[in-house]
Amino acid sequence: MTALVVALAVVVALLTVLVVGLLRAHAEVLKALHELGLDDVLDPAVEGMRIRTRPGVARPRATGTRQGHDIVGSSVDGGAVQVAVVGVEHLTLVAFLSSGCLTCGTFWEAFADPGRRQLPGVDTRLVIVTKGPEAESPSRLAQLAPPGVTTVASSVAWDDYDVPVSPYFLLVDGVSGTIVGEGAAASWNQVRDLLGQAMADSGLTPDGRRSPASEATGVARDQRIDEELARAGIRPGDPRLFLPSAETETETRS
Amino acid sequence: MTTLTGHGLAVELPRGWDGAIFRRDPDPQERAAGGRETPVVHAANFPLPSDRGDFGSGAVEIMGRSGVLVCLVEYESASATTALFARRGLPRAIAPDDYATHTLQRPMAGQGGVQMFFHERDRAFCLYVVIGSHRRRRILAPVADGLLQGLRIT
């Protein structure tokens, strides 16, 4: 009995030392963060710049699914045009470019070369979107628009997608109608890397199909279920989503 | 559903459809005869390539078996009174058996097409519709009809 008490005392003493050590380490981390001026990281009530980016680089967006939009505007020859982005079977890479920005020049050149504009996914469609004629010179766009690439002038599309800066890229999954990935980059290779990563994160295989694993679990499964329910006319909150309770059923029968 | 308008034409595009209304350059013969640019409508339930002809060359090569392409091409208004354009009014429905494999501007294996000339509001037009599979014309013809219901000459 004495031995058991002594053993328990030793265990309690060891645990006490361990807890004190952990608390001390935690305090040192807090102190170090405070000295670096990063107190906000620890305070969930503080809104705003948790992550600082270099000037000219777009800040990451808040997390969450964003919907894609069809692109309606004018073609470089002045005609009216709609490019279907949602409700289609393929991915669409929407490249928001302007005629004036220096970095955009890299992409205008890259897209003009069919050998360089390899896209993520097998049948991914590239669409270049500039601002409308009120903000861009139609004649300059006609010079820049790469042959073989759909180019649309549409300020509405910039607003729809809430584009923060040019150049800016969004990859939209036409089946789910959601934005798979987005961001700004300085070179076409960077864009391809970013989008490849975004596709993998979204459960899409490198050829742009949904991976079997993502179909069975996670966000992709949720999206698929939502899409199928929406096609059947069942929206969030629809009473058909809720099984009647035994009580209600009994009342209905009586 | 989006409505594209321009050049006295309008088209309602169902979800998932590409569309464009633009002016085509007259061919040298038309230009020599005083021809001017005339409007064209293209609508398709598959991605329209940027480089394509008035009657869909460049697009029909990439359309799948479920594809539908609708082209409305305007001609000089002087043609409206000629025998070729004697039919009155834009067709709103095309019978599946009106599609044929030999009426294609650019023959493609398995595809079906139909071409109709008509006049409306003293304007002369050619309606040209291509379906990706002639064997599936009973399924695809109603899809094309759905688009034609939303096509207007204003």
Side-chain angles (χ1 to χ4, degrees), chain A residues 79-84 90 125 148-149, chain B residues 2 17-21 47-48 50-51:
Chain A
V81 62
Q82 166 170 298
V83 174
H90 54 266
R125 183 185 194 183
V149 179
Chain B
T2 304
W17 281 64
D18 270 22
I21 301 177
L48 281 171
S50 59
D51 299 330

Side-chain angles (χ1 to χ4, degrees), chain A residues 22-78:
Chain A
L22 284 172
L23 287 172
R24 187 172 175 180
H26 182 64
E28 285 174 357
V29 170
L30 288 176
K31 187 181 173 188
L33 287 172
H34 176 72
E35 286 169 355
L36 289 169
L38 296 172
D39 306 64
D40 292 354
V41 172
L42 303 165
D43 185 357
V46 175
E47 295 293 333
M49 286 282 284
R50 299 272 180 82
I51 299 168
R52 278 175 283 186
T53 57
R54 294 170 63 182
V57 176
R59 285 175 54 197
R61 292 187 189 281
T63 54
T65 305
R66 288 214 301 147
Q67 291 296 312
H69 304 270
D70 291 338
I71 295 164
V72 182
S74 56
S75 56
V76 290
D77 58 9

Side-chain angles (χ1 to χ4, degrees), chain B residues 13 17-20 22 40-49 51-73 94 99 104-106 108 111-115 126-133 140-141 143-145 147-148 151:
Chain B
L13 294 168
W17 281 64
D18 270 22
F22 57 98
V40 176
V41 177
H42 282 170
N45 64 351
F46 61 93
L48 281 171
D51 299 330
R52 57 186 191 274
D54 298 334
F55 289 93
S57 61
V60 294
E61 291 87 343
I62 63 167
M63 76 191 296
R65 290 179 68 243
S66 300
V68 173
L69 170 69
V70 176
C71 306
L72 181 67
V73 180
I94 300 171
Y99 288 88
L104 294 166
Q105 293 268 345
R106 184 180 178 83
M108 299 291 293
Q111 294 183 355
V114 62
Q115 191 170 26
C126 174
L127 175 67
Y128 179 57
V129 183
V130 183
I131 52 176
S133 167
L140 298 176
V143 177
D145 291 350
L147 190 285
L148 295 177
L151 192 52

